[in-house]
Amino acid sequence: MRIWMRRAGAGLSLAGALAAGVPPAWGQPMGLPSMGAASAAELSPAVERTLGQAIMEQGRQDPTYIGDLDVGQYLTALGRRLAAHAPQALAQDITVFAVRDPAINAFALPGGYIGVNSGLVVGAQSESELAGVLAHEIGHVMQRHIARGIAQQSQGTGIMVASLIGALLAALAGQGDLAMGVATFGQAAAIDRQLGFSRGAEQEADRAGLQMMRQAGFDPRGMLAMFRRLMNASRLNEGTGGGYASTHPLSIQRLSDIENRIEGLPPAAATPDPEFWFVRARLALIQARDHADRQRLRQTLRGEARDLQGARQAAALYGLAALDRAEGDLAGARAQLAQAQSIQPAPQLDVLAIQLAGAQGPAAAVDVSAAAWKRWPRSQGVADARARALQKAGQDAAAADLLQAAARQWPDTPEFQKLLATSLQRLGREVEAHEAMASYFEQTGALPTAVEHLQQARTLSKDFYAQSRLDMRIRALRERLDNQRALLEPFKK
């Protein structure tokens, strides 16, 4: 099948848009409306979401994008837990993803997407510190600062919006090619930086973030602690550019405002999620790219495993076990893993156990994954590891059953559809395999490619009822494409 695993043939060429005569900076109006006010010069929520999905479609191809399911599940759950306590309703659902970059930074895209550098999580000394940065970003989303900043460019030229809209309209017509201009999250972070939020906008995001943190059960002092650390780091590295302090300037006035608002609050009885430490360790492992990085990480983890207790100690042992496995020391990895499991259970530990069992043979991995899935039925990472173990053992029927259940449980996680398509194809269920791939591309925003897969399935099917169902899906996707074009056309110049 020629289009089986082809990359989506349509996408927003953000790289091209940024290079096509775009002003060097986007000016955020100093007179940004106060909390809750609407502005006529802003993208509608539907257009904003369409832009965000298009950027994410390409961003998932970026080599720095971290597709680890447990990492994404944890970060998005944390973001949505905070957003549930926003002072006013959000126009977009929050989705948080990670990118491999040691710089301490975070950035917001249109449509409620928030990117978090691995360095921000690794540098956080508590879950409340991470929550503080996320809450601030959600404050920008709540205020629609991103959408309004894009629409209200300096001198009102709208060149960037026109470039983005033009590229997306070409993609919706099937004229784009991801391979010709994949958007990088470095460029996406540049969008956030170029918006240049006003001091008032930053303070509004701080205040909304503090309220979210407190009501969601986090210690608001975490925001203050993280911002102080970032401000000090910015001073020490003055002139090097980049970093959160450059994208969201941290002034003495902002820190004083946060201090004053926290001062009268009663002590927070925060109950941190132990998984934070395992996600932090996982991102530290992903971030370590060469031998020198891994050796420095090993030294740090050894110190934490020796000096700390509880979940932090277990997470350090998990990191050491993963490093041992990567270097081929399976006995050492198993010993470190067993010690970690005796201290604090975590889905990341069971995923590593499945991987280590795979070295003994596919059957062993299947057995270990069965027990892990029973322990962690809500872990996307464990579901993924079990499905892969079943596939390697040639048990594609069982894998397909598991992946169909996972796709129902997590309908917004496209990776399960892609794995499902592999098992269905091996089982000779070609029509269903194409349907699964269509769902994958639909969920990742590549609607023209999703339509192609459904058409392939329609051609292969001999069942009248299946053909009718496929016709309905094709018609619905084409209507979505038409609606997206209608939403975007008024912004084209």
Side-chain angles (χ1 to χ4, degrees):
M1 284 174 270
R2 290 190 297 273
I3 64 169
W4 180 252
M5 295 300 290
R6 196 183 72 187
R7 300 169 84 182
L12 171 63
S13 181
L14 180 61
L18 287 172
V22 176
W26 305 351
Q28 174 69 21
M30 293 300 291
L32 193 69
S34 61
M35 185 174 294
S39 170
E42 64 183 29
L43 304 179
S44 72
V47 173
E48 184 188 354
R49 189 70 177 179
T50 299
L51 285 174
Q53 288 173 339
I55 296 171
M56 286 300 299
E57 179 196 344
Q58 289 201 28
R60 290 185 179 93
Q61 309 296 334
D62 191 301
T64 66
Y65 175 75
I66 295 175
D68 185 284
L69 292 182
D70 272 336
V71 169
Q73 184 179 22
Y74 168 79
L75 290 174
T76 294
L78 177 58
R80 291 181 178 178
R81 175 180 167 187
L82 290 162
H85 298 279
Q88 64 188 60
L90 276 69
Q92 311 288 350
D93 290 332
I94 295 298
T95 300
V96 188
F97 62 93
V99 294
R100 190 187 68 251
D101 189 329
I104 299 178
N105 207 354
F107 55 93
L109 298 176
Y113 295 99
I114 296 174
V116 175
N117 281 13
S118 56
L120 176 66
V121 183
V122 173
Q125 297 303 303
S126 71
E127 189 179 33
S128 287
E129 289 191 5
L130 173 59
V133 177
L134 277 183
H136 176 91
E137 293 299 314
I138 295 168
H140 283 306
V141 173
M142 183 193 74
Q143 289 290 85
R144 307 208 62 230
H145 290 159
I146 305 298
R148 286 149 60 186
I150 289 175
Q152 301 173 28
Q153 295 175 42
S154 59
Q155 302 174 358
T157 61
I159 293 175
M160 175 58 78
V161 172
S163 299
L164 291 173
I165 299 299
L168 182 52
L169 283 169
L172 293 177
Q175 299 169 359
D177 186 355
L178 282 174
M180 296 301 292
V182 175
T184 67
F185 284 123
Q187 291 168 324
I191 292 175
D192 195 49
R193 179 172 64 253
Q194 290 169 343
L195 287 175
F197 294 135
S198 68
R199 181 182 301 174
E202 293 290 0
Q203 284 195 334
E204 282 181 354
D206 289 341
R207 293 168 184 176
L210 285 171
Q211 181 173 333
M212 283 183 256
M213 289 185 70
R214 185 163 177 264
Q215 293 184 356
F218 294 99
D219 187 351
R221 291 165 180 80
M223 179 185 284
L224 182 61
M226 176 61 92
F227 283 3
R228 279 175 173 165
R229 186 177 304 113
L230 292 172
M231 193 170 184
N232 289 334
S234 177
R235 287 170 177 165
L236 291 173
N237 297 284
E238 188 174 357
T240 60
Y244 198 77
S246 66
T247 59
H248 298 71
L250 295 166
S251 64
I252 295 297
Q253 290 82 359
R254 273 185 67 195
L255 292 180
S256 297
D257 184 60
I258 296 173
E259 285 178 330
N260 291 336
R261 290 179 178 277
I262 290 174
E263 186 176 357
L265 296 177
T271 305
D273 185 347
E275 192 170 355
F276 164 75
W277 300 109
F278 292 92
V279 169
R280 181 174 178 263
R282 176 64 181 152
L283 288 173
L285 291 163
I286 293 172
Q287 187 175 283
R289 299 296 292 166
D290 56 31
H291 178 72
D293 286 344
R294 288 188 288 272
Q295 288 303 107
R296 284 191 291 269
L297 177 58
R298 182 181 288 277
Q299 185 175 1
T300 298
L301 291 172
R302 280 175 176 166
E304 292 181 354
R306 181 187 63 244
D307 300 334
L308 301 176
Q309 296 179 339
R312 292 198 67 175
Q313 182 185 34
L317 290 165
Y318 158 72
L320 290 170
L323 287 172
D324 284 344
R325 174 179 175 265
E327 294 175 2
D329 182 5
L330 300 185
R334 292 189 181 99
Q336 303 275 20
L337 177 61
Q339 188 177 353
Q341 289 174 321
S342 70
I343 299 171
Q344 175 73 55
Q348 289 78 10
L349 295 176
D350 279 35
V351 169
L352 181 56
I354 295 168
Q355 294 167 342
L356 288 170
Q360 299 173 341
V366 168
D367 290 343
V368 173
S369 70
W373 182 231
K374 188 175 181 179
R375 275 191 296 272
W376 307 103
R378 297 183 180 179
S379 166
Q380 293 182 10
V382 172
D384 177 82
R386 173 150 175 77
R388 293 177 187 275
L390 289 168
Q391 287 179 336
K392 287 181 180 178
Q395 300 182 31
D396 281 293
D401 289 343
L402 170 69
L403 289 164
Q404 285 170 334
R408 289 191 297 269
Q409 185 174 355
W410 298 293
D412 297 327
T413 305
E415 289 80 2
F416 292 123
Q417 295 286 359
K418 195 172 184 179
L419 282 176
L420 173 60
T422 299
S423 283
L424 292 172
Q425 186 188 33
R426 290 176 181 173
L427 293 167
R429 295 156 63 178
E430 299 286 354
V431 173
E432 294 173 81
H434 274 292
E435 287 191 81
M437 283 306 296
S439 296
Y440 168 77
F441 283 115
E442 181 181 359
Q443 290 173 20
T444 55
L447 300 188
T449 308
V451 170
E452 290 183 41
H453 275 283
L454 291 176
Q455 289 172 329
Q456 286 275 335
R458 174 68 169 78
T459 301
L460 291 169
S461 177
K462 306 301 181 185
D463 181 270
F464 171 78
Y465 295 103
Q467 289 174 340
S468 298
R469 175 171 46 79
L470 289 165
D471 286 339
M472 289 179 62
R473 283 194 69 184
I474 291 169
R475 188 160 51 249
L477 283 182
R478 284 176 171 165
E479 287 176 0
R480 279 183 60 187
L481 282 166
D482 290 341
N483 290 338
Q484 287 187 1
R485 293 189 191 103
L487 282 172
L488 298 174
E489 279 290 351
F491 291 88
K492 187 179 179 181
K493 293 190 178 182

